[in-house]
Amino acid sequence: QVQLVESGGGLVQPGGSLRLSCAASGRISGIRAMGWYRQLPGKQRELVAQITSGGTTNYTDSVKGRFTISRDNAKNTVYLQMNSLKPEDTAVYYCNADVRRWSDRYFYYWGQGTQVTVSS
């Protein structure tokens, strides 16, 4: 009974910015890691960025210097600040969380996805 809900997607012009949010709710004891993935048109889902519970981050090369992932552990929320957006960033963005349940077992959960479109 864990749910991840993304928000913040939309249509922006090249060079613009968006901030995605993903809030996890339910029977959560903790979240070890959270991440953002995206699925470009005609391609497989790929990792964009991830962040551990301690704040260590990792980014795919194509977004380094432009995107910033962060999290608020108290709110079980992960963010993705996207700057200098390019048309090639157009994709459905999904958040992922490695959730520690009340049973102390970990499970991966996915959000429903939010569309990001970068176009003039």
Side-chain angles (χ1 to χ4, degrees):
Q1 298 299 317
V2 175
Q3 185 178 15
L4 274 61
V5 179
E6 299 108 333
S7 62
L11 173 64
V12 297
Q13 294 184 333
S17 298
L18 285 174
R19 186 172 188 252
L20 305 183
S21 300
C22 176
S25 61
R27 297 183 178 181
I28 299 171
S29 180
I31 302 178
R32 182 160 56 186
M34 305 185 81
W36 288 95
Y37 294 73
R38 67 186 181 187
Q39 188 164 14
L40 280 67
K43 296 185 178 180
Q44 296 182 341
R45 188 175 300 183
E46 64 180 13
L47 174 69
V48 178
Q50 62 185 165
I51 183 169
T52 69
S53 60
T56 301
T57 60
N58 184 50
Y59 300 89
T60 190
D61 287 342
S62 63
V63 308
K64 288 181 178 178
R66 299 189 298 121
F67 291 9
T68 302
I69 189 171
S70 61
R71 63 189 288 171
D72 185 334
N73 291 330
K75 297 181 179 180
N76 288 331
T77 299
V78 63
Y79 307 92
L80 185 67
Q81 178 66 46
M82 303 185 293
N83 299 326
S84 301
L85 283 163
K86 305 174 181 179
E88 64 194 62
D89 296 317
T90 296
V92 178
Y93 284 72
Y94 301 87
C95 73
N96 172 268
D98 187 9
V99 176
R100 184 182 183 182
R101 302 293 303 278
W102 290 354
S103 64
D104 290 336
R105 296 180 63 189
Y106 286 88
F107 297 90
Y108 289 95
Y109 293 91
W110 292 92
Q112 80 286 353
T114 184
Q115 177 70 46
V116 172
T117 302
V118 185
S119 179
S120 300

